[in-house]
Amino acid sequence: MKVLVIGSGGREHALGWKIAQSPKVTKLYCAPGNAGTAELAENVALKADDLKGLLQFALTKKIDLTVVGPEVPLCAGIVDLFEQNGLRIFGPRAAAARIEGSKVFSKEFMIKHGIPTAQAGIFADLTKAKAYIEAVGAPIVVKADGLAAGKGVVVCQTKAEALAAVDQIMGAKEFGAAGDKVVIEECLVGEEASIIAFTDGRSVIPLASSQDHKRVFDGDQGPNTGGMGAYSPAPVVTERLMEQINLDVLKPFVNGMRQEGIDYKGVIYAGIMVTKKGPLVLEFNARLGDPETQPIMMRLKSDIVPILQAIIDEKLDDRLIEWDERAAVCVVLAAGGYPGNYAKGDEIKGLERTDQLEGVMVFHAGTKDEGRKIVTNGGRVLGVTALGGSIKYAIDKAYQAVELIKFKGMHYRRDIGKKALKHEK
Ligand code: AMP
Ligand code: GLY
């Protein structure tokens, strides 16, 4: 069968890598892809948000299965569009993807269906939003309603910061209409974990747990990023906690969607804060996490294609999903300046030296093949991912591989996985 993966990050390289291993797949395309996907797929010069172009391509090439990585095309209705044209596509439709596309919808959904989350106020009026901040005080978290490329959440330590954040979002419209409304919520304290699950709208099956590292610098310092590294499994998610999250979050999510008359098929990602009061949902995403998908795909033993097919056909079954017992760790190598402004076009050296390392995959994100060399082409450039008998071994192996790679301005966190080790002691 012919498969098309949409997106260009480390997540899509990892997905493509896994899909390409399926004996069912005869041809793989990636749109737009990167220098890593080019090694296992044919890259197609269509952007992830070019819905009409992608539809035309899929119809012309008679694509049997399309797999969508990022949230933007999902929220824009790519699944609806492909289905209307008789194409098979993996992911939630636009009405379902609102769980990520609107933080107001998501918060109201959680409250209505009893899903544990932070206390919050929802505002469409700047003056009322400010009055709420004055009344509640800091620390407090301000979230733009709509999609803002991961920049719409501001964790504020002071009232002044929170007032400035609502001014930026609702007043100056920094994110356009995404800032017409805001969610202002209690600042939660605890350890974060990513709980990503497959659902066909009836069954919901959690994937292996994982943890992201959002802040740019070691020790969770500095501004938020798309994610500087991840590992799986996350020992903070004990078996008991996973069971609790399954019962209190995932199952009510799926049942709630059905009650709302929304057919939710694809991936549901719950960003969880493990607090003293138990697990609380920080956010829902309608897609796989990046970088979490990189260690997760390394650990997925089963062929992924029958799983994706079963979800589309509403026949998801946990016998389809088997995990490698080993741990996997992904260290993101970022361009100088990221998450602020960064350069592109710098040559990446040493990639071939990592090929000899067993159990190591260097997933590409912002990279471009320029024929004789591979150059940087984005903020997060590579995801160096390693399997190991324990988190500790996987960390060591990932950093060994990192040592072999160089590009101008390259920076990365040196403490990926450290939190997991604390739990293992
Ligand atoms: P979100 O996109 O909602 O997950 O927010 C991005 C990041 O902001 C999360 O991963 C957390 O690190 C942080 N965050 C979001 N909501 C809260 C909250 N209520 N309390 C503390 N941190 C939060
Ligand atoms: N790694 C966080 C996300 O994918 O949203």
Side-chain angles (χ1 to χ4, degrees), residues 103 118 141 143 153 155 185-188 192 214 224 273 282-283:
K103 299 233 184 249
V141 182
K143 302 184 172 186
V153 174
V155 179
E185 68 181 35
E186 143 197 35
C187 188
L188 301 175
E192 283 184 53
K214 302 236 183 218
N224 262 336
M273 186 74 91
L282 293 169
E283 61 166 343

Side-chain angles (χ1 to χ4, degrees), residues 268-292:
I268 179 65
Y269 165 142
I272 298 278
M273 186 74 91
V274 183
T275 72
K276 287 195 182 122
K277 287 190 278 180
L280 299 181
V281 176
L282 293 169
E283 61 166 343
F284 280 121
N285 294 320
R287 52 169 174 83
L288 290 163
D290 195 3
E292 293 95 318

Side-chain angles (χ1 to χ4, degrees), residues 187-199:
C187 188
L188 301 175
V189 181
E191 192 173 335
E192 283 184 53
S194 304
I195 302 298
I196 304 175
F198 282 138
T199 177

